[in-house]
Amino acid sequence: MPMNRHRGYTLVELIVAVGLFAFIMMLASGAYFMMISFNRQAQSIATGIDNLSFALEAMTRNIRTGTLYDCAGLGDCNGESSFSFKDANGVTTSYSLAGSAIQKTVGSVSSVLTDPSVAVSSLMFYAFGTGKPPDYQQSRVTIIVSGTVSSGPGKTQPFTVETGATMRGSDL
């Protein structure tokens, strides 16, 4: 009785097995790198939108506690790009679009509120009830911001955000 025992794999079998393993790992690593890329894009969009939300929240908080709302000397405004008022300390504060950023000016000191990853293309203020008392309307402001947020190198996502603020104190 002859002894035909196989003591291992042939060279061809090993080459085929290693080739299949390498091909499957190449596909899996490609999917993994793609998921990492999508995650980075989502994180940069979320960071930019969070920064914009923080800036808008700070704006509405200051506007809400302010008085004497004004849009470029017009009183009520219908889509103006700048807005000013007296803050809770009686200091004139204004918000406007400076290049592609939202700028806050308190007295004579200006500062930028938005991150460079957020490019604001449009900042509009709609204010109602800002006439001299008694106008019998509670003052309110609607802010609409449009632009793009960076989602990676050379990639941007558009956004449009609207928020509003009503004066806390009564001007009736």
Side-chain angles (χ1 to χ4, degrees):
M1 198 171 197
M3 301 214 29
N4 283 341
R5 291 192 178 165
H6 295 283
R7 296 192 181 244
Y9 298 104
T10 65
L11 184 60
V12 172
E13 289 173 330
L14 283 174
I15 290 174
V16 168
V18 169
L20 274 170
F21 177 76
F23 181 72
I24 291 170
M25 290 310 292
M26 182 180 66
L27 291 176
S29 64
Y32 178 70
F33 288 132
M34 189 179 300
M35 292 303 291
I36 288 174
S37 174
F38 289 149
N39 185 33
R40 284 186 182 152
Q41 283 180 336
Q43 279 184 324
S44 47
I45 290 172
T47 300
I49 294 299
D50 285 347
N51 174 266
L52 180 66
S53 294
F54 180 77
L56 286 174
E57 181 60 32
M59 287 173 62
T60 57
R61 187 179 329 113
N62 288 335
I63 290 171
R64 195 174 291 127
T65 58
T67 58
L68 300 175
Y69 295 172
D70 188 38
C71 288
L74 302 173
D76 283 358
C77 55
N78 194 13
E80 299 298 321
S81 62
S82 67
F83 181 76
S84 63
F85 60 96
K86 295 277 186 185
D87 68 9
N89 299 322
V91 178
T92 300
T93 302
S94 66
Y95 294 102
S96 61
L97 183 61
S100 63
I102 297 175
Q103 178 177 316
K104 176 182 180 180
T105 304
V106 179
S108 61
V109 179
S110 296
S111 60
V112 174
L113 294 180
T114 53
D115 190 66
S117 67
V118 179
V120 177
S121 60
S122 173
L123 174 64
M124 295 185 294
F125 294 93
Y126 296 87
F128 305 99
T130 62
K132 301 289 183 228
D135 64 358
Y136 303 108
Q137 290 183 350
Q138 184 65 24
S139 297
R140 64 189 186 283
V141 178
T142 301
I143 307 165
I144 301 174
V145 182
S146 298
T148 59
V149 62
S150 174
S151 62
K155 298 178 182 176
T156 59
Q157 292 291 322
F159 68 85
T160 300
V161 179
E162 180 177 334
T163 189
T166 302
M167 184 187 294
R168 277 194 183 159
S170 176
D171 68 344
L172 299 178

